[in-house]
Amino acid sequence: MFKIVKREEMAEGTVILNEIEAPLIARKAKPGQFVILKANETGERIPLTMAETDPEKGTITVIYMVVGKSTALFRDLPVGSGYQDVIGPLGRATHIEKLGKVICVGGGTGVAVLHPITRALKEAGNHVTCIIGARTKDLLILEKQMKAASHDLRVCTDDGSYGHHGFVTEVMEDILKQGDVRLVVAIGPVPMMKVASNITRKYGVKTMVSLNPIMIDGTGMCGGCRVTVGGKTRFACVDGPEFDGHEVNFDELMLRLQAYREDEKVCYDAYCTLHDA
Amino acid sequence: MDAENVMNLGLARTGRAAMQREESMVDKQATKTKKEKIPRQPMPEQPPEARARNFEEVPTGQSAEAAMLEAARCLQCKKSTCVDGCPVEVDIPGFILRIKEGDFTGAITRIWEKNALPAVCGRVCPQELQCEGSCILGKKGDPVAIGNLERFVADYERKHRNAALPKKAASTGKRVAVVGSGPSGLTVAGDLILKGHEVTIYEAFHKPGGVLVYGIPEFRLPKEIVFSEVDGLTGQGAKLKCNAVIGRAVTVDELFEEGYDAVFLGVGAGLPRFLNVPGENLIGIFSANEYLTRSNLMKAYEFPKYDTPIIRGKNVITLGAGNVAMDSARTALRLGADKSRIVYRRSRQEVPARAAEVHHAEEEGVEFHYLTAPTRFIGDEKGRVVAMEGLKMELGEPDDSGRRRPVPIEGSEFTIDCDLVIIAVGALANPLLTRATEGLALNRWGYIVTDEKTGKTTRPGVWAGGDIVTGSATVILAMGAGRKAADSIHEYLSWGW
């Protein structure tokens, strides 16, 4: 068992943080890499990009939104209990180098994935502007941490309840207009990454996105996570999860993420009924 | 010419063999008439129409009486060609003789001397190409059902637990890391633990067994059997670490730093091949690896009791005609397909699957379409596959593989409806481990180069075997490679070479 040593609820309980004992993974993991978690014997294997690692303590941290049965199962694991299986670190680490002016754009739980990357980019000597957003103020996560990890933090909410009233991509475009931006890292819901990539393409700014497609093994064996990048089929688990946003076929990815939508609903509804009873 | 004479022709080549021939003539003569009367005992099976809709094992197993009758058919050849045909050289006449005598415990002990996984091999080995293919009785009639007999005693022992575990040699204090818990790794572990070495098996998945668990379906190899064989190894003292991706969490260098004296790499081929035709990433198009892993390892056939879903197609196409394709097409039937079709670009003669697998698939209603190849998949507005476009082929000149190359027939375009497509056209070498390991020579396809006799790689202290060396092959060949590597590792740990 991989013990949960810390658990936090964020964004009105819709987003959960788990710090998990996994010393071998913690020792090796780098920003941008992911793990696969499985709650119990009958559970599904779920890939999540790590939000934090502590090699000394031997722990890794994942932050996820509760969207279906598997994440609901994760949510219901108390501190002291744990995951039956945690596998990793998987995928390629983010390529970190000193480029100059960099923008990190995060939406939803993508902010959690963005956090270690932002910090590493700052530590590498880049000037990092960070833009994070959520639907409304109470759903915003990791504001304090992102502020510390970057030079300049901008916050957006769709309903205007906090920060800029509008999308993160609007703020990003304003900064792009000022010029000199060498890299954009955009991590969040697929539509957000698609819009961000379309905008940066106009400005000719290199853009990195982190993809989270459906996956089984995470080691290149099943091909379930295949995405089209630059017209070629790539496996997000071993070739990614980060890709050049200008090359990714986001429409295909969005469709593929819906593959089991009905099955997921059956599973989730049954779990909720059981849970409520 | 009767079977006896065929055997003796083979033996009469040397003077010693001629002497054996006389002896065998004497003791065989007495029972000859009786033996020839016994027909090969059939293996009872679930009827095709019933089994095509459930995941229970197709053959239901033989009775002790049937096994003893079958064992009585064995000629007990002194020069046992069946043993020569077995990649791990099980003493086949030896264990069959014990079955004939009703000593099932003695029979399994005999097998264990050479094979740690008899319940698996009795089920999935291509016996017709190996032991049974070399059986003298097969020259004229049906060979002895060696696979069924092996399966019988392994199942008997699993149920009754009478046999004493094979004896372990005194501890050598040497440590071996086995990477991958598929057939080659389990064989290496089984052999070395008996020789007194300390063995740790590393598995990337959350359950051990490799292809035996994620690849081969329950109806061909119940998982309980694999886990029981693995339990046998851990019972003997082998350590098992699941969720351990070597090359990621731990590298081969670190294994040596941790104090291992030798490392065996048996990680499988593991990278699915796709066709690179338009529309291949539509929803409902799977690699066989993914489709079978969902069903077998993740138990998607028990969804929603198990959380992993799978697409249950009504109109299913499997591309390819190897054993994996047969497993996929038959799984699709069990998951509720009305129609399950195998589409293969070559002809029936080139089908690589075992004859028995093709036969089982045909009995269950899988349709075979030969000389047919896909050119494009068509999807609906939700990105789900709804049809396949293809071409008919004819056979041209032989290609690199020596098989006649399929050539498209002009104007033969067609479209067929489908809602699930499984691509089972082989695997490539997974670079995850090899990329992260220094000093391993790879061939042009990315497979690990080894010495054929010993399984030694180009890096001292590291051996490899199974599909990561040969490319996709069979369970027993991987076990044979494991056996050779284990012998070589033992020599290395004992004498330093």
Side-chain angles (χ1 to χ4, degrees), chain A residues 13-14 24 30 40 51 56 82 88 92 98 100 112 127 143-144 174 176 186 207 222 240 264 267:
Chain A
T14 59
L24 283 180
K30 295 197 171 65
N40 56 25
E56 272 156 40
R92 293 173 182 242
K98 186 177 173 183
H127 183 275
E143 185 190 354
K144 215 169 64 192
D174 288 343
L176 286 173
T207 302
C222 82
E264 281 160 5
C267 238

Side-chain angles (χ1 to χ4, degrees), chain A residues 27-28 41-42 45 69 85 87 91-92 219-222 224 226 228 233 252 255-256 259-260 263, chain B residues 205-207 243 248-249 254 270-272 280-281 283 285-287 289-290 293-294 303 307 384 430 435:
Chain A
R27 201 175 54 143
K28 279 289 171 65
E41 188 57 32
T42 53
R45 291 168 66 100
K69 164 150 185 206
D85 303 289
I87 303 103
R92 293 173 182 242
T219 61
M221 200 210 80
C222 82
R226 58 197 195 275
T228 302
T233 294
E252 179 188 275
L255 287 172
R256 285 183 66 80
Y260 300 101
D263 289 328
Chain B
F205 267 129
H206 55 277
K207 278 198 183 340
N243 297 322
R248 293 286 183 171
E254 287 167 329
L271 204 65
E280 202 168 14
N281 292 346
I283 297 170
I285 303 183
F286 289 94
S287 73
N289 269 2
E290 182 182 1
T293 302
R294 280 181 182 273
F303 179 88
D307 296 340
R384 287 172 192 266
N430 190 332
R435 251 189 223 154

Side-chain angles (χ1 to χ4, degrees), chain B residues 310-374:
Chain B
I310 194 163
I311 291 177
R312 291 169 182 256
K314 288 287 168 201
N315 197 355
V316 183
I317 293 174
T318 301
L319 297 160
N323 289 327
V324 171
M326 301 304 138
D327 286 345
S328 304
R330 295 172 69 195
T331 296
L333 281 177
R334 285 157 175 80
L335 287 171
D338 295 330
K339 218 176 196 16
S340 180
R341 289 186 267 216
I342 293 265
V343 168
Y344 184 46
R345 65 195 185 112
R346 299 179 194 260
S347 75
R348 188 176 184 123
Q349 279 71 47
E350 287 85 23
V351 165
R354 282 180 69 192
E357 301 307 323
V358 175
H359 174 68
H360 274 145
E362 281 175 334
E363 274 188 341
E364 290 170 10
V366 173
E367 283 177 23
F368 286 72
H369 298 261
Y370 298 105
L371 292 165
T372 307

Side-chain angles (χ1 to χ4, degrees), chain B residues 232-248:
Chain B
L233 290 179
T234 50
Q236 290 272 48
K239 290 192 193 103
L240 172 68
K241 291 191 178 172
C242 288
N243 297 322
V245 186
I246 304 300
R248 293 286 183 171

Side-chain angles (χ1 to χ4, degrees), chain B residues 164-476:
Chain B
L165 287 176
K167 249 200 154 138
K168 271 170 76 172
S171 169
T172 62
K174 302 285 184 185
R175 297 175 66 206
V176 182
V178 172
V179 182
S181 66
S184 70
L186 292 179
T187 303
V188 171
D191 282 9
L192 293 179
I193 200 86
L194 289 184
K195 288 181 168 143
H197 307 299
E198 193 185 300
V199 178
T200 305
I201 307 168
Y202 291 90
E203 166 57 44
F205 267 129
H206 55 277
K207 278 198 183 340
V211 72
L212 305 174
V213 166
Y214 75 73
I216 302 177
E218 183 78 15
F219 56 84
R220 223 152 60 75
L221 178 62
K223 300 311 140 209
E224 167 221 340
I225 288 170
V226 182
F227 298 140
S228 159
E229 307 252 36
V230 174
D231 285 348
L233 290 179
T234 50
Q236 290 272 48
K239 290 192 193 103
L240 172 68
K241 291 191 178 172
C242 288
N243 297 322
V245 186
I246 304 300
R248 293 286 183 171
V250 180
T251 62
V252 169
D253 286 349
E254 287 167 329
L255 289 174
F256 284 114
E257 282 163 26
E258 274 181 40
Y260 286 103
D261 300 290
V263 174
F264 174 79
L265 307 175
V267 296
L271 204 65
R273 271 184 63 185
F274 285 93
L275 298 161
N276 293 318
V277 300
E280 202 168 14
N281 292 346
L282 288 165
I283 297 170
I285 303 183
F286 289 94
S287 73
N289 269 2
E290 182 182 1
Y291 186 70
L292 292 174
T293 302
R294 280 181 182 273
S295 179
N296 301 330
L297 175 74
M298 305 310 296
K299 299 226 177 287
Y301 66 87
E302 292 195 52
F303 179 88
K305 185 181 159 202
Y306 282 77
D307 296 340
T308 303
I310 194 163
I311 291 177
R312 291 169 182 256
K314 288 287 168 201
N315 197 355
V316 183
I317 293 174
T318 301
L319 297 160
N323 289 327
V324 171
M326 301 304 138
D327 286 345
S328 304
R330 295 172 69 195
T331 296
L333 281 177
R334 285 157 175 80
L335 287 171
D338 295 330
K339 218 176 196 16
S340 180
R341 289 186 267 216
I342 293 265
V343 168
Y344 184 46
R345 65 195 185 112
R346 299 179 194 260
S347 75
R348 188 176 184 123
Q349 279 71 47
E350 287 85 23
V351 165
R354 282 180 69 192
E357 301 307 323
V358 175
H359 174 68
H360 274 145
E362 281 175 334
E363 274 188 341
E364 290 170 10
V366 173
E367 283 177 23
F368 286 72
H369 298 261
Y370 298 105
L371 292 165
T372 307
T375 49
R376 185 163 85 99
F377 299 102
I378 302 166
D380 64 9
E381 72 289 347
K382 287 180 176 164
R384 287 172 192 266
V385 67
V386 292
M388 181 184 94
E389 283 183 3
L391 281 170
K392 297 299 286 181
M393 316 292 274
E394 59 190 351
L395 292 178
E397 294 301 307
D399 61 15
D400 294 347
S401 69
R403 299 177 294 182
R404 292 177 65 194
R405 187 191 303 274
V407 185
I409 302 174
E410 227 175 284
S412 66
E413 293 83 359
F414 66 89
T415 305
I416 39 175
D417 291 345
C418 57
D419 55 2
L420 172 61
V421 176
I422 302 150
I423 299 172
V425 296
L428 304 165
N430 190 332
L432 191 98
L433 173 83
T434 51
R435 251 189 223 154
T437 310
E438 299 269 333
L440 286 182
L442 307 179
N443 69 16
R444 57 193 267 233
W445 300 280
Y447 295 109
I448 301 174
V449 174
T450 62
D451 174 73
E452 215 178 295
K453 286 204 186 77
T454 61
K456 280 183 180 172
T457 68
T458 50
R459 177 167 173 170
V462 180
W463 281 255
D467 284 4
I468 192 60
V469 171
T470 57
S472 303
T474 58
V475 167
I476 189 70

